[in-house]
Amino acid sequence: MSQKGDLFQKIEAATPALRRYARALCCGAGSAAADELVQAAIEQAAAKVRAREPSDGAAARHCAYRALTALAREKCAGLAATASPRQPAVVHALADLPYEERASLLLVALEGFSYEAAARIADTSREAFVARLMRARAALSLLDLRPSAPSDGARRAGGHLRVVK
Amino acid sequence: MTPPPSVQEADLHALVDGELSAERRRDVEDHLSRHPEDAALVEGWRRQNAALRAAFEPVARETPPLSLRNAAVRNAAPGAAPIETGAIHWGRPSGPSRSVRRLDEARESRRKRAFLSTAAALLVGAALAAATVLAFTRPPTPSGAATPVISAQSYVDRADISYRTYAPDARPVDFDADHLAELAAAQWRRVGFACAPDLSGVGLRLLGGRVAPGLKGPAGFLLYETQDSARVGLYFERAEPEKAARVAPRVDQSLTAVEWRGAGMAFVLIGPLGADAMQESAERAAGEILAPPPGEAKRR
């Protein structure tokens, strides 16, 4: 029983980070929507804890992120139009990414998960996950740093590298 | 000695994300020193990471809203107990036996008569009280303007009542701008939240604030003043998070209200300015309220 209490606490402790991840997934579209997602994700993770699925604090945390990623997929999919103009450029670029790529980038760059853990959270294989991450970063470089050079879109520096799909 | 495997794009990402073994990392860093265009790629991705973190780090430093505190444990409580203890099952109390029931019926009829006379007395009293309440809540008819019947069913309605009550007053606030600490203390105590956003950037000077009646409990009410001595109120009360429309209805001919939710509260900015000015002020206020505490870098 005390182990469950510990796991609940671990999920609680992840709340600020979950809120950050949710807000970023929704591209800053507003704290209310993001917080609703976090609440639903926490409830699902708590249900898993009660069903004795996660074995330790890290697994409990992953449950919460997994639930949040799945829930946000429906909610945040079509958000590009609603990112307010007062958001920084990177948020707009984020909003233009397909959902899976956005989530992959955020799990690694913002939340600091390893590729292995992030792939499990995103419910996919490590190879597929890394491919999404690479596409996300490529798209972000095009959108952010070189908006006025469309010809660069077809080419990436380092042509001698083999791009692993 | 076999040469190390060639460095591929996936390796560059792995370098940025700390996924390489120490030996492989040395290979990749060596490669970067010889291929500046790849080094530029890596540098670009690191800058993306930094931009993402800068944009969203403030969220992680906020205190989570009340709706999320103990969210995990709260859901555990109802379902957990019977399974955990397993020993005692608290069922419904069973009905009384027949002989006891007869006695109960006798008592019941006596009780019923007493109850009816009490009820009658109470009803008369309630009717009187209701009539009094109605008489007092109908707002006094201002000269010339139509009297709106305000049935307070929303935070906007409550904000409207507070605005009409306090804004026209020569001394509209309990705590003026020199006593913001006491205002904050009172609001924390009564409302469960305090804020005093600086809206000087949109031409609103904070006059001060008070605790006001809210929809379901005490609410905070701040008053600001423009250069033209128009007054704008900021009302806030604890509320469930909800997708409330951000652009608000005009409350009547002369007032505009903008409602939003955040940090476990509902906020209403209400005043006589135009819709655009009110919207901009509301966004400014929302940003101030949800922003990290002063002293840390603000990024908007």
Side-chain angles (χ1 to χ4, degrees), chain A residues 4 19 43 115 137 161, chain B residues 7 17 19 62 75 84:
Chain A
K4 260 198 213 172
R19 293 185 74 228
E43 284 167 12
Y115 289 175
R137 282 188 166 142
L161 291 178
Chain B
V7 171
D17 301 320
E19 291 274 325
E62 289 168 13
N75 292 298
E84 293 301 334

Side-chain angles (χ1 to χ4, degrees), chain B residues 189-215:
Chain B
R189 204 170 53 243
R190 306 296 313 289
V191 185
F193 187 83
C195 65
D198 177 12
L199 299 182
S200 47
V202 286
L204 292 173
R205 179 174 67 92
L206 177 63
L207 293 177
R210 65 187 313 138
V211 174
L215 198 61

